[in-house]
């Protein structure tokens, strides 16, 4: 069997696909594997902020089209880029073991967030990160930044940024952990839903392939991601609003850190429960109610 793996063409996207292929080879070394690079709208438009050009589907729609048409057998994405609902006929296999889900701060000169001078310019393309940075340091100047990891790191070095915020997972996967100045705890900076997790997307009618992929999945990651994506779907989250969720499995259940807001304000909560999907929905309803009561919606 030859398995065609669809992916974006960035260095990180290719690493992710190669990692998935390596895991598949452990189960079926007799299969052949082929990477198919697909350019998405989000890759083509780099000079406009994400919320101005569309929703989370910016990085996946073209790939999903080829999947539905049978031009590829599976697609590998960053799960945090996936919309809360995917097209009919497609599904996810069980998630692989998650990488570090935290956000990190990369600074030009200072040693930590507290030592940045007043008004320091921090780059991020995420409203979720921006609003949480402002809570930690209201005086910071938040500047929009786009591009892949290498592009953002280069912009920080050569342009008028004092630092940038990125996901730890991508940096670790590409061997760039040494550039990290400090890590945010999940209490300080609630990550994006499913951050650090890979999404393997297949057609629902490919039952044999789906069964194979589920064999390489990680149950704890699967349950935590199901909680975070249930929250995302219930909150109706997109790249247009600050929204994030991070679930941790405990001995007696799950704990969920969640945030939801608008351009200027946000509410966050910490909830615990035994059922991960129900927990995600509960947190979403509580935050929607809190935002509605506070802002008269």
């Amino acid at each position: 069997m030859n398995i065609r793996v669809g992916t974006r063409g960035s260095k990180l996207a290719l690493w992710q696909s190669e990692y998935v292929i390596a895991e598949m080879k452990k189960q079926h070394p007799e299969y052949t594997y082929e990477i198919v690079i697909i350019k998405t709208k989000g890759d083509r438009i780099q000079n406009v902020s994400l919320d101005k050009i569309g929703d989370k589907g910016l990085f996946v729609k073209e790939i999903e089209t080829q999947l539905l048409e049978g031009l590829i057998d599976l697609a590998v994405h960053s799960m945090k880029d996936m919309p809360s609902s995917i097209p009919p006929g497609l599904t996810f296999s069980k998630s692989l073991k998650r990488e570090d889900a935290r956000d990190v701060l990369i600074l030009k000169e200072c040693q930590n967030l507290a030592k940045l001078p007043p008004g320091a310019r921090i780059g991020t393309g995420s409203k979720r990160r921006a609003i949480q940075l402002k809570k930690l340091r209201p005086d910071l100047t938040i500047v929009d930044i786009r591009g892949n990891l290498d592009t953002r790191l280069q912009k920080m070095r050569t342009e008028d940024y004092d630092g940038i915020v990125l996901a730890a997972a991508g940096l670790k996967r590409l061997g760039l952990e040494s550039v990290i100045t400090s890590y945010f705890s999940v209490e300080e900076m609630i990550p994006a839903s499913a951050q650090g997790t890979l999404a393997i997307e297949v057609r629902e009618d490919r039952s044999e392939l789906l069964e194979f992929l589920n064999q390489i999945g990680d149950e704890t990651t699967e349950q935590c991601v199901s909680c975070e994506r249930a929250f995302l779907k219930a909150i109706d989250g997109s790249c247009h609003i600050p929204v994030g969720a991070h679930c941790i499995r405990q001995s007696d259940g799950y704990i969920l850190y969640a945030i939801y807001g608008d351009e200027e304000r946000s509410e966050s909560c910490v909830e615990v429960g035994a059922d991960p999907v129900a927990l995600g929905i509960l947190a979403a309803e509580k935050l929607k109610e809190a935002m509605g009561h506070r802002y008269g919606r």
Side-chain angles (χ1 to χ4, degrees):
M1 181 188 294
N2 180 58
I3 298 177
R4 298 160 299 174
V5 179
T7 178
R8 296 166 63 200
S10 71
K11 191 182 294 185
L12 179 58
L14 291 171
W15 184 98
Q16 292 174 169
S17 294
E18 288 164 359
Y19 174 76
V20 170
I21 287 172
E23 292 299 303
M24 289 192 290
K25 282 182 176 178
K26 292 177 183 178
Q27 294 290 330
H28 283 288
E30 73 279 12
Y31 292 172
T32 57
Y33 301 87
E34 174 189 355
I35 289 179
V36 180
I37 296 174
I38 302 164
K39 201 155 195 174
T40 68
K41 184 177 180 182
D43 296 313
R44 291 191 298 270
I45 304 173
Q46 289 290 321
N47 60 345
V48 182
S49 62
L50 292 178
D51 61 303
K52 300 290 193 303
I53 54 175
D55 215 318
K56 281 177 172 279
L58 280 170
F59 295 107
V60 302
K61 284 182 180 176
E62 290 87 347
I63 299 174
E64 289 178 330
T65 296
Q66 293 209 23
L67 192 55
L68 286 166
E69 292 176 353
L71 299 174
I72 55 176
D73 299 296
L74 63 90
V76 177
H77 316 275
S78 293
M79 184 67 92
K80 73 172 184 176
D81 290 336
M82 300 305 293
S84 54
S85 297
I86 61 175
L90 298 181
T91 189
F92 295 121
S93 69
K94 186 180 290 185
S95 301
L96 300 182
K97 188 174 176 60
R98 184 182 222 157
E99 180 53 273
D100 192 334
R102 292 174 293 175
D103 284 311
V104 299
L105 186 62
I106 301 169
L107 300 175
K108 269 184 182 175
E109 298 175 0
C110 291
Q111 296 176 334
N112 55 52
L113 186 69
K115 293 188 177 181
L116 280 169
R121 293 167 60 85
I122 302 297
T124 176
S126 161
K127 291 186 174 183
R128 171 189 60 82
R129 289 171 177 154
I131 205 163
Q132 293 185 95
L133 276 171
K134 283 295 219 177
K135 283 191 173 183
L136 295 170
R137 281 285 304 268
D139 63 291
L140 292 177
T141 302
I142 309 300
V143 187
D144 189 67
I145 189 169
R146 287 285 318 279
N148 59 37
L149 282 179
D150 288 336
T151 299
R152 294 188 195 201
L153 289 169
Q154 182 63 19
K155 283 182 178 180
M156 187 200 70
R157 297 185 189 105
T158 60
E159 299 181 17
D160 189 18
Y161 296 95
D162 294 292
I164 56 176
V165 181
L166 295 172
L171 292 164
K172 289 186 172 185
R173 284 169 174 154
L174 292 180
L176 296 172
E177 193 171 356
S178 62
V179 305
I180 297 172
T181 304
S182 61
Y183 290 81
F184 291 104
S185 70
V186 297
E187 292 88 356
E188 292 173 316
M189 178 81 67
I190 298 171
S193 298
Q195 186 158 294
T197 308
L198 301 184
I200 306 177
E201 194 175 22
V202 298
R203 280 175 28 181
E204 287 179 331
D205 59 6
R206 297 293 302 275
S207 56
E208 183 180 349
L209 179 58
L210 187 58
E211 183 179 352
F212 161 33
L213 291 169
N214 284 337
Q215 292 172 5
I216 64 175
D218 177 73
E219 187 60 32
T220 295
T221 301
E222 176 71 12
Q223 294 302 317
C224 288
V225 167
S226 72
C227 175
E228 295 161 27
R229 284 186 59 79
F231 169 83
L232 186 69
K233 187 171 185 177
I235 211 80
D236 194 23
S238 70
C239 61
H240 299 290
I241 59 173
V243 59
H246 183 67
C247 178
I248 300 172
R249 189 170 187 172
Q250 301 180 309
S251 59
D252 57 347
Y254 300 85
I255 181 168
L256 177 65
Y257 299 84
I259 184 169
Y260 170 54
D262 58 22
E263 292 287 349
E264 299 177 354
R265 303 157 298 229
S266 66
E267 294 282 350
S268 60
C269 69
V270 181
E271 302 290 338
V272 295
D275 182 309
V277 172
L279 178 60
I281 294 170
L282 171 67
E285 293 305 320
K286 285 195 173 184
L287 289 184
K288 284 195 291 187
E289 183 179 13
M291 287 290 287
H293 284 176
R294 184 172 175 183
Y295 306 125
R297 294 176 186 167

